[in-house]
Amino acid sequence: MSTQKPERAKMNQPCAACRTLRRRCSDNCLLAPYFLIEEIDKFACVHKLFGAKNVIKMLQRLEETKREDAVNSMAYEARMRLRDPVYGSTGIIFNLQKHILELGKELELTRAQVVESQEQRDELLRLLMDDHNLRPFSSIGDTTLDYDFLQTDNMVGYDLLNFH
């Protein structure tokens, strides 16, 4: 995050917090660097959830370098509470974790299908080699094998196994 405070566009213009609270915005307003007039909705959400006095108290307790992150966190939580009043950002995190677990299970199933397909391919190649007394290939699972043996006179049409 940036450690520089954003400056107000016009010095006579109040910050979003002071405008919402209908008070005069002083030069040493604690909320002005974090709630610009263009972000009036941001402060409205934070004010609705936390209250202006609590926001000021929280910011006063923090080092100046950590205040911007705290305001961003409060704004994020306030927006999430508007979307989901019961769980807020926790509900979204829970849903994302659940989705990750589901995708992990799907990935494991896909990996199992790949292994099964490779085993079927290897079994088919083994059967083809046994049936036609062909030379063995270097290793199972090697997809860069030499399949020239499939071009013999007695195996025309078996070139469907081209895995190059």
Side-chain angles (χ1 to χ4, degrees):
M1 296 286 157
S2 174
T3 57
Q4 297 177 345
K5 293 182 185 178
E7 300 206 17
R8 288 188 262 177
K10 297 178 183 175
M11 292 305 290
N12 297 337
Q13 198 171 25
C15 68
C18 292
R19 185 167 193 177
T20 302
L21 299 172
R22 295 184 179 161
R23 66 181 189 190
R24 185 175 192 97
C25 190
S26 65
D27 289 340
N28 60 352
C29 177
L30 182 64
L31 301 174
Y34 311 107
F35 297 103
L36 303 177
I37 190 64
E38 299 86 24
E39 302 172 328
I40 202 154
D41 291 338
K42 176 181 172 182
F43 180 76
C45 290
V46 171
H47 176 59
K48 185 175 183 178
L49 181 64
F50 297 102
K53 285 185 181 182
N54 289 330
V55 172
I56 290 170
K57 285 179 189 178
M58 285 187 263
L59 291 178
Q60 286 174 337
R61 291 179 185 160
L62 291 174
E63 298 172 19
E64 195 169 330
T65 58
K66 296 181 180 180
R67 289 179 181 171
E68 185 177 355
D69 289 337
V71 168
N72 290 336
S73 295
M74 285 186 268
Y76 180 77
E77 181 62 29
R79 283 193 307 271
M80 295 304 107
R81 285 285 173 176
L82 286 176
R83 288 176 62 188
D84 185 353
V86 176
Y87 296 108
S89 61
T90 306
I92 292 171
I93 292 168
F94 174 77
N95 286 333
L96 290 172
Q97 288 174 337
K98 183 180 171 185
H99 191 63
I100 288 171
L101 289 174
E102 290 170 357
L103 289 173
K105 290 176 184 177
E106 187 178 332
L107 179 61
E108 287 303 314
L109 286 173
T110 303
R111 286 181 176 160
Q113 289 173 342
V114 167
V115 168
E116 184 179 341
S117 295
Q118 288 173 340
E119 289 171 354
Q120 289 174 353
R121 179 204 61 200
D122 294 341
E123 181 65 17
L124 179 60
L125 288 174
R126 187 188 61 75
L127 290 172
L128 285 172
M129 289 186 346
D130 288 348
D131 288 346
H132 299 286
N133 294 324
L134 298 173
R135 70 184 194 283
F137 47 90
S138 61
S139 68
I140 295 176
D142 186 1
T143 57
T144 59
L145 299 174
D146 181 16
Y147 287 96
D148 290 338
F149 66 89
L150 293 174
Q151 301 299 322
T152 59
D153 292 337
N154 59 351
M155 293 188 63
V156 174
Y158 285 104
D159 195 26
L160 297 173
L161 296 173
N162 190 0
F163 291 102
H164 289 281

